[in-house]
Amino acid sequence: NTCTLNATNTIFSHSTATSSNPIIAKRTGIVNLTKCLFDLPCPTGVTCTGSVVNKDPSYTDVSSNDFTLTACSPAINAGTNTGAPSTDIINTARPQFTTVDVGAYESTVAPLPKASLDFSVTTLSEDDPSTEQVIINVDQAVSGPQTIDVTVSGSNITTGDYLLNNMTQSPFTITVPNGSMMSTAAFNIVNDVLPEGTEKAYFTLSNPSSGICIVDPKVDSMILEDNDPIAKNFNTNETYYSLQDAIDDAMDEQLIML
């Protein structure tokens, strides 16, 4: 027999499920999940309409079974008022703000602004003198100046490889001005003479001030392309900027490492 499962304003999280073995797996029938929240991707074959996926619900304290929502929870105001009960599981009136929260508990604390990371480009070359931007986007205006630390890391990445606002330190603190929904930091790759090959720089957000939250994922990356050759082909006079490219030709070409 074919059946239909409809769920609304429900949180699915903190289970032993994985993306390959999800908490909900459609076998037969129809599964419709509307305005729900998952800390995993939407399960294959399931319809997730207006749902928040791949986000931690930000419970107050899972270890003590306190599943109320913090002010950083993406579940706040993320539900639908249609068909929602007038109170939550502990008789708190719903909604407290414009829209009901996803899950069993309605937050009485207004949601804090949530910050995410972006770049003006995702690939940058050493021979490109332009200044690019590390961008902090916020979903609502902040109250008072708010700060977030940005740490740059990666295999063979050092503070000598880049400048953030003309500084080499990591972590680097970015300030979102009062009333703003965005802040930027100038990012430059240092054009050195060291053959390093292509590197991937990872940018991690951490240490938000009290009036702002960080949205998962907290890490993003940028490709840094070197312009210093690491090998030369004596037959074709071709130079190699990637160790992998040199290795690929090493079996049948005469190479010399520079």
Side-chain angles (χ1 to χ4, degrees):
N1 294 328
T2 300
C3 62
T4 299
L5 169 65
N6 295 312
T8 304
N9 293 348
T10 304
I11 294 177
F12 301 89
S13 70
H14 291 81
S15 75
T16 56
T18 64
S19 57
S20 60
N21 182 27
I23 189 171
I24 293 178
K26 177 187 169 188
R27 304 301 184 213
T28 60
I30 299 171
V31 180
N32 297 315
L33 306 177
T34 303
K35 292 289 187 175
C36 293
L37 184 148
F38 294 88
D39 57 1
L40 292 171
C42 181
T44 301
V46 174
T47 300
C48 299
T49 304
S51 293
V52 179
V53 298
N54 268 344
K55 305 293 184 185
D56 189 286
S58 189
Y59 294 129
T60 299
D61 189 355
V62 174
S63 63
S64 63
N65 295 322
D66 184 350
F67 298 109
T68 56
L69 306 175
T70 73
C72 291
S73 175
I76 298 177
N77 293 338
T80 175
N81 293 342
T82 302
S86 60
T87 59
D88 71 359
I89 195 172
I90 54 175
N91 291 320
T92 300
R94 288 187 140 167
Q96 285 288 304
F97 304 102
T98 58
T99 311
V100 300
D101 301 342
V102 178
Y105 294 92
E106 183 76 8
S107 176
T108 58
V109 179
L112 287 175
K114 298 175 180 63
S116 58
L117 182 64
D118 199 3
F119 307 114
S120 53
V121 298
T122 55
T123 300
L124 190 59
S125 173
E126 274 193 6
D127 55 14
D128 183 354
S130 62
T131 296
E132 303 302 338
Q133 301 292 327
V134 175
I135 305 166
I136 301 297
N137 289 313
V138 188
D139 67 349
Q140 59 177 297
V142 298
S143 178
Q146 302 296 328
T147 59
I148 294 180
D149 287 349
V150 179
T151 301
V152 185
S153 61
S155 179
N156 299 322
I157 296 290
T158 70
T159 53
D161 291 325
Y162 63 88
L163 294 172
L164 266 172
N165 280 357
N166 292 318
M167 301 177 69
T168 60
Q169 70 186 62
S170 182
F172 177 86
T173 300
I174 295 180
T175 299
V176 182
N178 177 43
S180 178
M181 295 176 63
M182 186 179 73
S183 187
T184 63
F187 184 81
N188 299 89
I189 184 172
V190 175
N191 189 3
D192 56 29
V193 295
L194 301 174
E196 301 160 305
T198 299
E199 300 172 308
K200 180 176 283 190
Y202 292 92
F203 295 74
T204 304
L205 298 181
S206 63
N207 196 31
S209 55
S210 60
I212 198 169
C213 301
I214 298 173
V215 175
D216 287 327
K218 300 178 177 68
V219 182
D220 209 338
S221 62
M222 179 187 293
I223 301 297
L224 306 184
E225 295 180 338
D226 193 22
N227 64 349
D228 302 301
I230 62 172
K232 184 174 182 178
N233 185 321
F234 272 86
N235 290 334
T236 64
N237 208 36
E238 181 180 1
T239 54
Y240 297 87
Y241 298 90
S242 163
L243 180 60
Q244 187 59 53
D245 289 343
I247 292 173
D248 290 342
D249 284 353
M251 298 299 294
D252 53 9
E253 299 286 354
Q254 275 191 309
L255 299 179
I256 183 167
M257 301 304 293
L258 298 178

